């Protein structure tokens, strides 16, 4: 992965403006499409398959007038008057008549109607006017709602107070405020302090904002085709900002450190993307996988939310590894810290990974790192003081047990409130007190009782009863007798007498635990009612839907937690090749989640510091917060773990000193992790003061989780535990090491690739090998083949084929160095395979009925675009070359394009196979004669024939059983390179016949 990212970073640096233009086009296209389609968010909290949702689906077919969304117009009479006064009654009745005439309104129940149930308060001051729509809340248009409020507001002119409640008016949509901008400003300040440069501080902000724009625009497009909760884009913005800034910070920090050490800007950008970028990709993938894991919960609105957030993280990762290096390419050396600056000194310290050994270097850099003068030649300066991170890790390592007990105890206490976690969907009680829906909610609770805000709908199947009225009356009486029921409306049958509905009013609020218990009691009595009346029923309504959603999410919480923790152990075991490290990381993650839950419950459920944080009301936690928090915090925790512990592992691999590895690794990553954690904390916490409902709670939970995980778990608990474990922290059973794939997050393969590439650059030959060993080919071999020459490789057939396959980029060498056309192998096998053709004559299987011309034209066509034809004469030219090679060979007749392959001799078929390889237009042609038709003393003559067919510029490598006789140094007019593999036997051979030099010039171009 590191090598691939290295190439991506180098490409983006070199083609900077193209990459920038591509991202601008992507952003513009998504924004334009979203605006054109008019995608809008809408709230739809449903779970297919639950009892409450099945009942709603049934009502849509059998009792549509009762299945739609409902609204409540709450009317308070003028002071000193009653809603039963004639004038007030007439005005309210007139409004009810007007509402009944509106489109999308299926029915209106006046408080004075015989179908109304307790619609007038006991003191006569308040009346409830029920409006039933003909579809779900997501289908009710804004225009219809405006018409409803316009009709109701006419009562205000008569001195009444009107407010509107119900799901269609419980607006839980969220938007950006100036407070979020303050969070970004704080992030900018942290970046400036970290980098000491406005330009460097601005790049992470710029890349993160572009990523947020891309994700937000993409969600808008999706919203045109499916229901997307307004929480989804806000969550995507919040996460996209945080991870976008952090991921850019990690890569840019590495880039500036390398620039300060004198590395070329292009090479630094490529290596930064390959090393820090690899950790970014890994961290991003963990977040994405965890968020996509929400799909298995089976709740549509939560699945959309998870996919939206995952898309935001994907955009942040992609921009970090493509757009950021492109901006580096535009900025070039301007991002380097100024010589002698604190950033430059820190970069040199980071290069040494140790405060003591870096102190003198940093002082030298401060005094002597001027243009044209290296720090090594500078006048020694007073040693720099150890960094704050260095001092902190030394303190922790002096008393690790004390810090472990302190952190675990503190987080354990903070987690205690989590054991009383109560989940539910948001109600109007969580809205600002000034909103109409909140006023209506509070008025109903005050005048009628809290249960009137969450009516439960009981849907009865009356197709089997013969005494409908008496049975409905009996069921009503039984429902009224249930503990927790305030009142029950009469059973209302539909027109076809198939279904009847009861409005059950609880004594408690819709989000109260007692209401959940009531729903369960009602469902428990279904068997008894069906046995007595022959009337099955189901419990539904928005209150029951919310309870079903919460119950399903609560049930999924523990399995999802086990999945996330198990995933973290597996991923970290792959990265760090250790058992203890991932287990320790998973336990630390559990502590972070527990503390985050505990603080969130204490604030939003128990009211601790609620006024200070602007919490409008306390109550149950929004039901999808825990599972979202676990998914998001998991990825962020693994992010910090990778950046801190990867440095420890790197140092341990080099020195085998476990304690030094903890100290050096911590110092290497502490500053960037501190900056990243502070940025995330500020971005998340900025959504708390002005956030609404779900976003406020999610933001606080994430802010607390990030702070706790970064500073208490990763930067305190981790070094303490690693110090206690010592070398045992890096133990991995051999059998497990063989099973687990090796994820090269630290860039070990990249370092090998860079070394091999530098070695390759020192050689000008078309193919160069140094101590090259391929498994099964025998002892190592070294050779150098100039461009355009002919090389004859002799030795055992299997060994020749393996060496040829390695040169062609088909298999990886075991050891040694190998470069082909300036590309090092095996890390650049892809480009090599495209420029090298491999022909194994023993494996050819010619189609006897195909003509020579068809075979050549088909092969020539492969290298051309679909819209171009093979130039006339190319196949003929190759046939001419074959015939020149066959000339003078006894028993060989001239070849023409009309002959079939079955008519050719073995030699002619082999030369045609070579010509087909030449038709690939490759720069290197590798041919092996095998041990078949040419395994005899005349075999060396075949080398001259192959050379005469190939293009003059093509380097030819021929594998033969015996090498050419004599000491000839040329084949025709080409240089001859003899390569005898260890253990080969030259044997008898003939001199290669001369060939017409003109036959090997030019080509089928």
């Amino acid at each position: 992965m590191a090598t691939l990212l290295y190439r991506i970073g180098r490409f983006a640096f070199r083609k900077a403006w193209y990459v920038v233009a591509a991202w601008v086009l992507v952003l513009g296209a998504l924004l334009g499409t979203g605006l054109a389609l008019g995608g809008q968010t809408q709230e739809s909290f449903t779970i297919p398959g639950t009892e409450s949702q099945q009942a709603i689906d049934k009502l849509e077919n059998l009792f549509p007038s009762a299945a739609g969304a409902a609204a409540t117009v709450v009317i308070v009479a003028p002071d000193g008057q009653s809603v039963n006064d004639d004038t007030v009654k007439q005005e309210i009745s007139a409004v009810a008549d007007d509402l009944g005439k509106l489109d999308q309104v299926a029915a209106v129940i006046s408080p004075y109607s015989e179908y109304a149930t307790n619609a007038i308060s006991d003191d006569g001051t308040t009346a409830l006017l029920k409006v039933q729509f003909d579809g779900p809340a997501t289908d009710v248009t804004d225009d219809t709602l405006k018409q409803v409020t316009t009709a109701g507001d006419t009562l205000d002119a008569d001195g009444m107070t009107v407010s509107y409640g119900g799901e269609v008016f419980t607006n839980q949509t969220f938007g950006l405020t100036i407070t979020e901008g303050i969070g970004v400003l704080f992030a900018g300040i942290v970046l400036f302090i970290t980098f000491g440069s406005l330009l460097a501080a601005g790049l992470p902000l710029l890349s993160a904002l572009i990523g947020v724009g891309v994700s937000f625009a993409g969600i808008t497009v999706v919203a045109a085709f499916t229901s997307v909760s307004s929480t989804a884009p806000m969550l995507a913005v919040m996460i996209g900002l945080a991870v976008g800034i952090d991921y850019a910070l990690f890569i840019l920090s590495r880039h500036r450190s390398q620039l300060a050490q004198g590395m070329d800007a292009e090479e630094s950008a490529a290596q930064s993307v390959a090393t820090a970028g690899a950790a970014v990709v890994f961290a991003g993938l963990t977040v994405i996988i965890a968020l996509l894991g929400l799909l298995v919960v089976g709740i549509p609105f939560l699945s959309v939310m998870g996919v939206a957030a995952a898309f935001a993280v994907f955009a942040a990762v992609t921009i970090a590894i493509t757009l950021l290096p492109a901006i580096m390419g535009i900025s070039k050396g301007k991002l380097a810290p100024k010589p002698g600056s604190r950033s430059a000194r820190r970069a040199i310290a980071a290069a040494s990974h140790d405060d003591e050994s870096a102190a003198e270097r940093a002082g030298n850099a401060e005094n002597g790192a001027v243009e044209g003068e290296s720090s090594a030649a500078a006048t020694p300066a007073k040693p720099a003081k150890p960094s704050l991170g260095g001092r902190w890790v030394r303190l922790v390592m002096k008393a690790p047990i004390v810090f472990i007990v302190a952190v675990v105890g503190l987080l354990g206490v903070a987690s205690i409130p989590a054991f009383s976690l109560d989940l539910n969907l948001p109600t109007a009680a969580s809205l600002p007190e000034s909103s109409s829906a909140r006023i209506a909610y509070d008025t109903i609770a005050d005048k009628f009782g809290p249960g009137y805000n969450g009516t439960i709908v009981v849907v009865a199947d009356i197709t089997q009863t013969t005494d409908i009225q008496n049975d409905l009356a009996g069921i009503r009486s039984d429902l009224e007798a249930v503990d927790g029921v305030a009142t029950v409306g009469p059973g209302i049958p539909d027109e076809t007498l198939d279904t009847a509905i009861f409005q059950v009013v609880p004594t408690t609020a819709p989000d109260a635990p007692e209401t959940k218990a009531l729903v369960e009691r009602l469902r428990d009595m279904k068997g008894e009612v069906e046995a007595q009346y022959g009337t099955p029923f189901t419990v539904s309504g928005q209150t029951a839907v919310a309870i079903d959603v919460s119950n399903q999410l609560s049930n999924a919480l523990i399995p999802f937690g086990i999945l996330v923790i198990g995933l973290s152990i597996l991923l970290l075991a792959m990265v760090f090749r250790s058992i203890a490290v991932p287990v320790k990381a998973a336990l630390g993650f559990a502590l972070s989640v527990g503390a985050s839950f505990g603080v969130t419950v204490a604030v939003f459920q128990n009211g601790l510091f609620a006024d200070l944080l602007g919490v409008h009301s306390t109550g149950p936690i929004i039901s999808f917060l825990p599972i979202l928090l676990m998914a998001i915090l998991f990825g962020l925790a693994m992010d910090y773990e990778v950046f801190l512990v990867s440095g420890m592992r790197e140092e341990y691999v080099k020195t085998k000193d476990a304690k030094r590895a903890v100290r050096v690794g911590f110092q290497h990553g502490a500053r960037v992790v501190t900056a990243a954690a502070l940025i995330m904390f500020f971005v998340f916490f900025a959504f708390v003061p002005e956030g609404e409902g779900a976003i406020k709670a999610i933001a606080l939970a994430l802010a607390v989780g990030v702070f706790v995980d970064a500073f208490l778990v990763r930067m305190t608990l981790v070094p303490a535990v690693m110090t206690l474990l010592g070398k045992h922290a890096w133990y991995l059973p051999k059998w497990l090491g063989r099973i687990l794939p090796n994820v090269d997050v630290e860039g070990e393969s990249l370092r090998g690739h860079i070394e091999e590439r530098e070695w390759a650059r020192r050689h000008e030959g078309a193919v160069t090998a140094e101590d090259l060993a391929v498994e099964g080919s025998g002892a190592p071999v070294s050779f150098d083949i100039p461009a355009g020459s002919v090389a004859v490789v002799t030795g055992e057939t299997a060994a020749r084929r393996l060496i040829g396959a390695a040169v062609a980029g088909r298999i990886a060498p075991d050891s040694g160095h190998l470069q082909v056309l300036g590309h090092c192998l095996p890390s650049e096998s892809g480009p090599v395979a495209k420029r090298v053709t491999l022909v194994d004559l023993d494996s050819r299987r010619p189609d006897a009925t195909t003509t020579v011309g068809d075979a050549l034209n088909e092969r020539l066509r492969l290298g051309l675009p679909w819209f171009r034809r093979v130039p006339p004469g190319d196949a003929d030219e190759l046939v001419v070359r074959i015939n020149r090679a066959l000339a003078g060979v006894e028993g060989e007749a001239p070849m023409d394009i009309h002959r079939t392959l079955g008519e050719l001799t073995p030699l002619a078929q082999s030369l045609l196979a070579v010509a087909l390889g030449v038709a690939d237009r490759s720069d290197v042609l590798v041919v092996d004669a095998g041990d078949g038709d040419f395994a005899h003393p005349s075999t060396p003559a075949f080398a001259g024939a192959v050379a005469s067919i190939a293009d003059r510029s093509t380097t030819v490598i021929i594998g033969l059983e015996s090498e050419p006789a004599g000491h000839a140094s040329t084949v025709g007019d080409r240089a001859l390179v003899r390569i005898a593999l260890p253990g080969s036997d030259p044997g008898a051979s003939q001199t290669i016949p001369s060939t017409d030099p003109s036959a090997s010039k030019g080509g089928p171009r």
Side-chain angles (χ1 to χ4, degrees):
M1 180 173 67
T3 306
L4 174 63
L5 292 173
Y6 178 84
R7 296 193 185 106
I8 291 174
R10 184 177 290 276
F11 172 84
F13 188 96
R14 291 177 174 176
K15 307 292 183 182
W17 287 111
Y18 291 100
V19 175
V20 171
W23 276 109
V24 171
L25 288 174
V26 169
L27 178 59
L30 288 175
L31 283 173
T33 304
L35 291 174
L37 294 175
Q40 298 289 330
T41 59
Q42 51 187 351
E43 310 309 313
S44 178
F45 299 114
T46 61
I47 302 184
T50 59
E51 177 180 332
S52 56
Q53 190 60 44
Q54 288 176 343
I56 292 175
D57 296 338
K58 178 181 178 181
L59 288 177
E60 289 180 355
N61 296 322
L62 301 178
F63 207 160
S65 61
T72 302
V73 182
V74 182
I75 306 165
V76 179
D79 291 341
Q81 298 186 41
S82 168
V83 293
N84 291 315
D85 294 346
D86 290 339
T87 55
V88 175
K89 186 175 182 179
Q90 289 176 359
E91 291 163 356
I92 293 176
S93 298
V95 169
D97 293 338
D98 292 340
L99 292 173
K101 300 173 183 177
L102 299 178
D103 293 337
Q104 292 194 297
V105 174
V108 175
I109 302 178
S110 167
Y112 312 106
S113 169
E114 60 179 315
Y115 298 106
T117 304
N118 296 339
I120 298 176
S121 62
D122 292 339
D123 60 6
T125 61
T126 308
L128 305 180
L129 194 157
K130 300 285 187 178
V131 180
Q132 189 76 33
F133 296 95
D134 59 7
T138 52
D139 291 344
V140 180
T141 65
D142 292 338
D143 185 58
T144 297
L145 296 181
K146 185 176 180 180
Q147 293 176 20
V148 170
T149 57
T150 299
D153 287 347
T154 59
L155 297 174
D156 286 333
D158 300 316
M160 303 181 204
T161 302
V162 181
S163 55
Y164 305 90
E167 55 183 308
V168 293
F169 287 105
T170 306
N171 183 10
Q172 293 281 357
T173 58
F174 314 105
L176 293 173
T177 66
I178 188 63
T179 313
E180 286 78 58
I182 296 175
V184 175
L185 177 62
F186 272 116
I189 294 173
V190 173
L191 289 169
F192 179 73
I193 294 173
T194 302
F195 291 132
S197 164
L198 286 175
L199 176 61
L203 286 189
L205 292 176
L206 175 63
S207 62
L209 290 173
I210 293 175
V212 166
V214 169
S215 57
F216 192 89
I219 294 170
T220 304
V221 173
V222 174
F225 301 97
T226 188
S227 295
V228 177
S229 167
S230 62
T231 308
M234 287 299 296
L235 184 65
V237 168
M238 184 166 58
I239 295 174
L241 270 177
V243 301
I245 294 173
D246 273 9
Y247 292 166
L249 166 65
F250 291 139
I251 296 174
L252 185 60
S253 177
R254 178 67 63 92
H255 178 58
R256 282 170 53 84
S257 176
Q258 293 170 166
L259 289 177
Q261 297 164 34
M263 186 178 292
D264 173 70
E266 180 179 328
E267 180 66 19
S268 176
Q271 289 196 27
S272 299
V273 172
T275 52
V280 163
V281 171
F282 172 79
L285 283 176
T286 57
V287 182
I288 291 171
I289 291 171
L291 288 169
L292 293 181
L294 297 175
L295 293 170
V296 304
V297 179
I299 299 177
F301 76 86
L302 190 60
S303 298
V304 172
M305 206 177 297
V307 171
F311 178 66
V313 176
F314 174 78
V317 171
T318 308
I319 285 175
I321 63 175
T322 57
L323 182 61
L324 187 61
I327 300 175
M328 292 176 183
I330 296 172
S331 304
K332 299 196 183 315
K334 296 178 182 178
L335 292 172
K338 294 181 180 180
S341 66
R342 293 180 61 191
S343 298
R345 297 198 306 272
R346 287 196 299 266
I348 295 173
S352 71
H353 304 307
D354 196 358
D355 277 336
E356 287 95 342
S357 61
E360 186 172 346
R361 292 190 190 183
N364 291 343
E366 182 176 12
N367 290 289
V370 295
E371 186 174 356
E373 181 182 6
S374 67
S375 59
T379 302
K382 184 179 179 179
K385 293 181 179 180
S387 65
L388 179 61
R391 294 196 295 272
W392 173 251
V393 74
R394 282 177 176 78
L395 178 62
V396 172
M397 294 177 70
K398 285 180 180 178
I401 295 179
V402 173
F403 282 94
I404 291 173
V405 172
V407 170
V408 172
L410 177 62
L411 297 185
V413 171
S415 303
I416 291 175
F419 291 99
S420 61
L421 177 67
D422 183 24
L423 301 178
N424 213 319
L425 288 179
T427 65
S430 62
L431 295 175
E433 295 179 354
S434 59
S435 67
S436 179
R438 175 66 182 274
I439 293 172
Y441 185 94
D442 292 342
T443 302
I444 291 173
D446 180 50
K447 295 294 183 178
F448 296 89
Y452 277 81
N453 281 307
T455 302
I456 300 170
V457 178
V458 173
V459 183
D461 180 355
I462 56 176
T463 56
Q464 304 301 316
T465 181
T466 57
D467 189 3
I468 294 177
Q469 293 299 328
N470 288 333
D471 285 349
L472 291 180
I475 294 173
R476 180 185 184 185
S477 298
D478 292 345
L479 294 175
E480 287 178 328
V482 176
D483 184 27
V485 173
T487 183
V488 179
I492 303 175
D494 64 348
E495 295 179 355
T496 59
L497 300 181
D498 292 325
T499 304
I501 61 172
F502 297 88
Q503 299 285 342
V504 179
V505 179
T507 57
T508 52
D511 57 357
E514 294 81 2
T515 306
K516 290 184 181 180
L518 172 60
V519 169
E520 294 303 319
R521 285 195 292 271
L522 292 174
R523 287 173 173 169
D524 290 341
M525 63 182 294
K526 289 190 296 184
E528 178 183 342
V529 170
E530 183 175 358
Q532 182 175 356
Y533 302 100
T535 305
F537 74 79
T538 54
V539 180
S540 185
Q542 289 304 311
T543 300
V545 168
I547 291 172
D548 286 344
V549 170
S550 301
N551 288 340
Q552 185 156 334
L553 284 168
S554 298
N555 295 335
L557 193 58
I558 293 179
F560 186 77
I562 294 173
L563 172 66
V564 168
I565 292 177
L567 179 64
S568 69
I569 293 175
L570 176 63
L571 290 175
L572 290 177
M574 291 163 52
V575 172
F576 296 119
R577 319 302 295 172
S578 163
I579 293 292
V581 170
V583 171
K584 172 263 306 171
L587 294 176
F589 167 70
L591 286 173
S592 300
V593 170
S596 181
F597 282 175
V599 173
T600 305
V601 170
V603 174
F604 288 91
Q605 192 172 308
N606 301 337
L608 184 66
F609 302 121
D611 293 337
L612 182 63
L613 295 173
V615 178
H616 304 304
S617 64
T618 59
I621 305 299
I622 189 164
S623 52
F624 53 80
L625 183 149
I627 220 163
L628 269 181
L629 175 66
M630 292 175 65
I632 298 168
L633 192 58
F634 164 69
L636 303 182
M638 297 308 102
D639 197 344
Y640 303 141
E641 181 79 11
V642 167
F643 272 89
L644 277 176
V645 182
S646 60
M648 298 179 188
R649 181 177 185 271
E650 182 180 356
E651 185 67 20
Y652 180 77
V653 169
K654 289 191 298 185
T655 66
K656 300 301 180 182
D657 185 338
K659 289 189 175 181
R660 173 184 168 83
V662 173
R663 185 181 71 252
V664 171
F666 186 91
Q667 292 170 181
H668 179 58
R671 186 174 185 84
V672 71
V673 169
T674 299
L678 287 176
I679 288 170
M680 282 202 177
F681 175 80
F682 285 132
V683 170
F684 288 146
F685 193 79
F687 285 80
V688 176
E690 297 297 328
E692 298 294 344
I695 288 297
K696 182 188 287 285
I698 293 172
L700 179 64
L702 285 173
V704 172
V706 165
F707 187 89
V708 166
D709 193 84
F711 296 109
L712 295 182
V713 174
R714 306 303 157 190
M715 299 184 72
T716 303
L717 188 63
V718 165
V721 173
M722 296 291 286
T723 300
L724 280 182
L725 292 176
K727 65 180 182 179
H728 301 293
W730 307 108
Y731 171 73
L732 182 71
K734 293 183 179 179
W735 63 268
L736 184 58
R738 290 190 295 268
I739 296 174
L740 290 175
N742 190 2
V743 181
D744 185 23
V745 172
E746 298 162 15
E748 293 179 7
S749 64
L750 174 66
R751 289 189 286 273
H753 166 72
I754 293 174
E755 292 174 1
E756 290 295 322
R757 188 194 62 190
E758 293 302 319
W759 176 88
R761 286 177 175 177
R762 296 195 296 267
H763 297 82
E764 298 180 354
V767 182
T768 308
E770 184 178 296
D771 296 328
L772 174 66
V774 181
E775 184 178 359
S777 67
V781 62
S782 300
F783 53 80
D784 187 26
I785 305 174
S789 64
V790 176
V792 175
V793 181
T794 55
E796 293 184 358
T797 302
R800 297 195 319 263
R801 285 175 171 167
L802 289 169
I803 294 295
V807 170
R810 271 58 169 187
I811 62 174
D814 277 359
S815 62
H817 303 284
L818 176 62
Q819 72 85 19
V820 179
L821 302 172
H823 296 287
C824 57
L825 291 168
S827 60
E828 294 183 330
S829 59
V832 169
K834 294 178 181 178
R835 300 179 63 184
V836 179
T837 295
L838 183 61
V839 179
D840 189 345
L841 298 180
D842 259 2
S843 64
R844 66 189 189 281
R845 297 290 185 271
D847 183 353
T849 61
T850 301
T851 66
V852 171
D854 288 343
L856 289 171
N857 280 309
E858 181 180 356
R859 192 62 168 264
L860 288 165
R861 193 178 297 113
L862 293 177
L864 295 174
W866 62 270
F867 54 83
R868 288 186 58 188
R869 296 184 177 181
V870 177
D874 276 13
D876 293 331
E877 172 62 23
L878 287 173
V879 171
V880 169
R881 296 185 187 191
I882 295 173
N883 286 332
R884 284 174 178 168
L886 290 172
V889 179
E890 185 178 351
E892 292 292 341
M895 184 186 299
D896 64 70
I897 62 174
H898 301 294
R899 293 184 66 184
T900 63
L901 303 188
E903 298 173 335
L904 303 179
T905 64
L907 176 60
Q909 287 183 2
S910 298
L911 293 180
L912 176 61
V914 172
L916 292 173
V918 172
D920 287 342
R921 302 173 176 86
S922 300
D923 297 304
V924 177
L925 177 66
V926 180
V927 180
D928 193 88
D931 52 7
D933 298 321
F934 302 101
H936 52 74
S938 65
T939 296
F942 186 63
V946 173
S948 67
I949 297 173
D951 293 342
R952 182 68 181 84
S953 60
T954 301
T955 303
V956 180
I957 302 175
I958 307 170
L960 299 174
E961 194 172 33
S962 58
E963 66 174 322
H967 301 284
S969 61
T970 61
V971 176
D973 64 344
R974 294 192 189 213
L976 173 64
V977 178
R978 302 167 185 264
I979 303 171
L981 299 181
S984 62
D985 181 14
S989 58
Q990 292 183 350
T991 303
I992 299 176
S994 298
T995 56
D996 184 356
S998 64
S1000 61
K1001 293 179 180 180
R1005 300 287 190 267

